[in-house]
Amino acid sequence: MKNVAECSSSTTPTVQIAGDKKLEEAIVTESVKEDDLERGSIDVLSYEKPSHQMQRGLKSRHMQLIALGSAIGTGLFIGTGGALSTCGPAPLLISYIIMSFFVWTIMNQLTEMVVLTPIPGESSMYALARAYLNRPLSFVCGWNLFYAQAMIAPSEITASTLLIQYWTDANSAIFVSIFIVITILVTALPVKFFGESEFWVSMIKLTTITGLIILGVVIFFGGGPDQHHVLGFHYWKHPGAFKPYISTGNTGNFCAVWTAIVKSGFAFVLAPETLTSCSAEADRPRRNMPRAANRFVWRLMLFYVGGALVVGVTVGYDNQRLLSAISSGKSNAAASPFVIGIKDVGIKVLPHIINAAILTGAYSAGTAEMYGASRMLHSMAVKGTAPKIFAKVNRYGVPYYSILVPSCFCFLAYLNCSNSTSQVFAWLSNISTISGFISWIFVSLTYIRFRKIIDHLHLNDRIRFRKPFQKICAYISGGFFVILSLTNGYAVFTRGNWSVSDFFANYITIGFVAVLFTIGTVYYREWKFKCVEEIRQELIPKIEMADEEEKNEIVIESTTWYGKLGNILI
């Protein structure tokens, strides 16, 4: 195939946009040819509702709650306990502050790129890498992200099953089967049903974490039934704010902070990608995507940083209940530091309620990531990287063939029904987290290239969403996640901590990405970034199409007080 570095003005002609009805007349007569599909031509974006066209059924409130729903799961409710017991309360809080900042930058970078051309097939990270980088890198980005999202779904199904075991000792395979059916069914329904499901489940999670933070404040001031004095930051003094890790002194404290950052990654990973993947099916994406991005960061800081602070205040890292739950491998409410802190002050009723809320969190996070995986596969199929059959949608705009593949990954949850295979699944889950870090490296790389293209083509006046200093943030975040990906398993190289299985889980993803890059480069025979002229010819018609769609949108503003309040809050 022709190298993109050799492109010239003879490449695919652009679709001229004359305005009003001429746009539709110019596009509906175009057919989706195989060569156009391979090249990612604008022809695939027709207005005639072709077989790959999805429907816009997600409203602003859906997108807001999906963004947070995909982020708040077992990583926050239960995973904080492992980080606390290993590193101490101060590293836990520091790690959540740092990760919240970098997730905020990733969200801003993705939103800026997606809002420029929020049209079907163009909103995934794969499509953005293909548009601004080249086909080999987009190939790596797409399949890496698809794998990460597809693997998180069975991981959360497993977590849901373990949470059920808080109440019953019945065979876990029964509950694995139930959650697999529910997850696949919700994802396969028209997107408005998926949106409603995620909205209400996420409301439960947000209500729960809000209540836990408020309860943490009460415990802080000594308001628990068995408390007789203000607790304050007692556990930051005894046993201490830091628990040195690997080494002693300041080196041990630094290792504790870095380990906490690594451990906190699972709680945040892939949340921005899940939100941006919704833009192809979102109502008025140029209005709702920026609103979701603007509010996402504050809620992330409140719930994650606030939650981490509450955990560090109410439970010491040497708490025997916490250490016993972790050493015995419990993954339900018994291992949640929130529940442990509540029990320690004499509150008896809440653990069952919290376990039920954590259960909804695990289910919601798994469903959202499976949704993201299916839309990623659909986007790759539209562009020709995946088989064309995965680009097809039914009459409700649901890519049913694309849902089948990540659905098969869900059956990996059965591995945890056997002690001999559960370790294998743990490896796969860890690998998916590192894949998320690598995906964020691609986000920063794509954004840096995107900004250079926009500056060169003088299109800054067409940008609808941009936060200040994002170009600098892209360099910083890209470097940060490169370092994090390379050092996430640093502990295995220290004296007495070598483990073949841990080394495999922490570093096999890097080899996997290298193999994908080699395959993509050999297949496409492209060695350089796409030339600016080719990007211009593809980008301008997409912007014009998005402008025309925005122009034809009907905006209905709420006139009631409760409707206006809902718009402010959600």
Side-chain angles (χ1 to χ4, degrees), residues 259-274:
T259 300
I261 292 173
V262 172
K263 287 180 175 291
S264 69
F266 183 75
F268 291 87
V269 74
L270 302 181
E273 289 91 337
T274 302

Side-chain angles (χ1 to χ4, degrees), residues 6-58:
E6 300 171 354
C7 67
S8 64
S9 60
S10 62
T11 53
T12 306
T14 60
V15 177
Q16 297 298 322
I17 308 301
D20 50 56
K21 294 184 178 180
K22 290 185 179 181
L23 172 67
E24 186 174 358
E25 294 172 356
I27 296 176
V28 296
T29 58
E30 297 289 341
S31 61
V32 182
K33 300 179 181 179
E34 183 176 357
D35 180 65
D36 293 330
L37 195 62
E38 171 67 21
R39 292 176 60 83
S41 166
I42 193 64
D43 293 344
V44 302
L45 303 170
S46 92
Y47 271 45
E48 62 175 1
K49 301 293 183 184
S51 61
H52 65 273
Q53 184 79 38
M54 293 186 291
Q55 297 180 7
R56 297 193 183 277
L58 295 177

Side-chain angles (χ1 to χ4, degrees), residues 335-349:
S336 171
F338 292 101
V339 173
I340 292 171
I342 291 171
K343 285 184 174 181
D344 284 347
V345 297
I347 301 176
K348 308 296 184 182
V349 181

Side-chain angles (χ1 to χ4, degrees), residues 163-239:
L163 290 164
I164 289 288
Q165 291 177 352
Y166 186 72
W167 295 301
T168 178
D169 294 329
N171 193 317
S172 59
I174 298 173
F175 303 107
V176 169
S177 302
I178 293 173
F179 283 112
I180 287 176
V181 171
I182 294 175
T183 300
I184 295 174
L185 180 62
V186 171
T187 311
L189 289 173
V191 70
K192 63 180 181 180
F193 293 101
F194 166 79
E196 285 298 324
S197 171
E198 287 298 297
F199 176 82
W200 292 110
V201 171
S202 296
M203 284 292 289
I204 294 174
K205 289 192 289 184
L206 296 182
T207 302
T208 301
I209 189 63
T210 301
L212 289 173
I213 291 174
I214 294 173
L215 186 58
V217 174
V218 173
I219 295 173
F220 179 90
F221 287 104
D226 292 346
Q227 289 183 278
H228 305 290
H229 55 80
V230 175
L231 178 62
F233 287 93
H234 170 76
Y235 293 121
W236 285 56
K237 299 176 182 177
H238 309 284

Side-chain angles (χ1 to χ4, degrees), residues 462-483:
R462 308 294 290 273
I463 299 297
R464 301 304 184 92
F465 175 88
R466 176 174 290 171
K467 292 292 184 181
F469 309 114
Q470 287 309 301
K471 185 182 291 187
I472 296 175
C473 287
Y475 284 101
I476 296 174
S477 60
F480 174 79
F481 287 114
V482 167
I483 296 173

Side-chain angles (χ1 to χ4, degrees), residues 197-407:
S197 171
E198 287 298 297
F199 176 82
W200 292 110
V201 171
S202 296
M203 284 292 289
I204 294 174
K205 289 192 289 184
L206 296 182
T207 302
T208 301
I209 189 63
T210 301
L212 289 173
I213 291 174
I214 294 173
L215 186 58
V217 174
V218 173
I219 295 173
F220 179 90
F221 287 104
D226 292 346
Q227 289 183 278
H228 305 290
H229 55 80
V230 175
L231 178 62
F233 287 93
H234 170 76
Y235 293 121
W236 285 56
K237 299 176 182 177
H238 309 284
F242 288 85
K243 182 181 180 181
Y245 185 67
I246 300 295
S247 184
T248 58
N250 291 332
T251 302
N253 292 340
F254 174 80
C255 290
V257 172
W258 194 253
T259 300
I261 292 173
V262 172
K263 287 180 175 291
S264 69
F266 183 75
F268 291 87
V269 74
L270 302 181
E273 289 91 337
T274 302
L275 176 61
T276 54
S277 67
C278 295
S279 62
E281 297 173 88
D283 181 38
R284 291 177 287 165
R286 280 189 167 174
R287 174 179 181 271
N288 292 329
M289 280 291 298
R291 292 179 67 185
N294 285 329
R295 298 172 183 181
F296 176 77
V297 60
W298 300 112
R299 295 170 183 176
L300 200 66
M301 292 290 289
L302 171 64
F303 297 129
Y304 271 85
V305 176
L309 180 60
V310 165
V311 165
V313 167
T314 57
V315 180
Y317 67 72
D318 62 346
N319 185 286
Q320 291 304 310
R321 289 183 179 179
L322 177 64
L323 297 176
S324 175
I326 292 174
S327 63
S328 61
K330 292 182 179 179
S331 299
N332 51 33
S336 171
F338 292 101
V339 173
I340 292 171
I342 291 171
K343 285 184 174 181
D344 284 347
V345 297
I347 301 176
K348 308 296 184 182
V349 181
L350 284 180
H352 291 285
I353 299 175
I354 295 173
N355 191 70
I358 298 173
L359 175 62
T360 63
Y363 148 77
S364 174
T367 305
E369 294 303 336
M370 183 171 167
Y371 168 89
S374 64
R375 271 51 180 183
M376 173 61 67
L377 185 58
H378 173 270
S379 178
M380 290 192 290
V382 168
K383 295 294 188 180
T385 298
K388 290 188 291 184
I389 190 173
F390 296 121
K392 292 184 178 182
V393 300
N394 61 20
R395 59 175 176 162
Y396 301 107
V398 178
Y400 50 100
Y401 285 117
S402 292
I403 292 174
L404 288 177
V405 179
S407 295

